[in-house]
Amino acid sequence: MAKKTKSRSAAQAAVKKRSGAKAAARSSARKAVKAKARTVAAKKPARPKQRIAISHHRDEDFKADGLRAYAKYRDLGIADATHGLAQAHVIRLQGPCNPDEVSKLHFHDVEFQMVYVLKGWVKTYMEGQGETLMKEGSAWTQPPKIKHMILDYSDDVELLEVILPAEFKTVELKA
């Protein structure tokens, strides 16, 4: 009987030894994966350092040089400060609203777009959402490439728009 006890002890010790070797191998493999992940992360190109952008309200800063002919844009300096990472501007839609000019279905090839109504109101259409009336204090996001259009707006509407990246493509669609 003593031999059986000794054999069991030897077997248990052998199992522990193999388990320890497996654990050490797993630990080494984890360390290698983590080291590789750090190397991959380190290779990612660094973005240029962002700078502070300060913009004070001045009526003369609203320009008719943006995406839409019926709008004036006040650039807030975000595109330059972020080296193209993002863009932000205040938009004044020129009234009265002309649906023939304004209501054109389109989408923007962007990563992020958010609009906040500073003043007045705007009625929009977004695919999957339908028509929505946005009033002063309303905000919304538009997922990338969502089809949308403006349907109507007040003569005094002002919108804050934030878009990533600063440069993007707009695609007009046939109605």
Side-chain angles (χ1 to χ4, degrees):
M1 264 202 199
K3 278 189 172 181
K4 284 186 179 178
T5 307
K6 203 172 189 181
S7 296
R8 277 191 201 144
S9 294
Q12 288 171 342
V15 167
K16 283 184 181 179
K17 192 174 185 180
R18 276 182 274 161
S19 297
K22 285 181 182 177
R26 282 194 305 267
S27 179
S28 293
R30 280 191 209 109
K31 286 178 186 174
V33 168
K34 286 181 181 178
K36 186 176 180 181
R38 281 192 297 269
T39 304
V40 170
K43 289 181 184 177
K44 187 177 179 183
R47 287 195 175 276
K49 187 175 180 179
Q50 296 181 29
R51 65 173 177 75
I52 296 169
I54 298 173
S55 177
H56 298 285
H57 176 86
R58 297 178 337 149
D59 275 337
E60 60 268 25
D61 289 338
F62 283 88
K63 310 282 186 216
D65 60 356
L67 182 62
R68 305 285 176 213
Y70 55 86
K72 288 189 176 180
Y73 299 81
R74 180 177 146 230
D75 180 33
L76 300 179
I78 305 303
D80 288 341
T82 63
H83 304 282
L85 175 66
Q87 172 189 140
H89 48 236
V90 177
I91 305 170
R92 282 183 179 165
L93 301 179
Q94 303 300 295
C97 177
N98 177 356
D100 292 335
E101 182 182 9
V102 172
S103 300
K104 295 183 179 174
L105 193 62
H106 64 281
F107 69 84
H108 307 291
D109 190 4
V110 297
E111 294 174 35
F112 174 81
Q113 183 176 13
M114 189 272 315
V115 183
Y116 180 86
V117 182
L118 296 166
K119 197 164 119 178
W121 57 267
V122 61
K123 186 187 231 183
T124 65
Y125 164 82
M126 287 181 275
E127 183 178 50
Q129 179 69 30
E131 293 181 14
T132 306
L133 179 64
M134 306 291 188
K135 300 176 183 178
E136 185 173 320
S138 298
W140 71 95
T141 58
Q142 293 181 179
K145 296 186 178 181
I146 188 170
K147 296 172 186 168
H148 65 281
M149 70 176 130
I150 292 176
L151 300 172
D152 198 5
Y153 55 82
S154 65
D155 291 349
D156 64 341
V157 70
E158 284 191 13
L159 310 168
L160 169 66
E161 184 176 52
V162 178
I163 303 171
L164 280 78
E167 297 292 325
F168 60 91
K169 186 169 83 171
T170 296
V171 177
E172 298 251 343
L173 303 166
K174 303 277 184 204

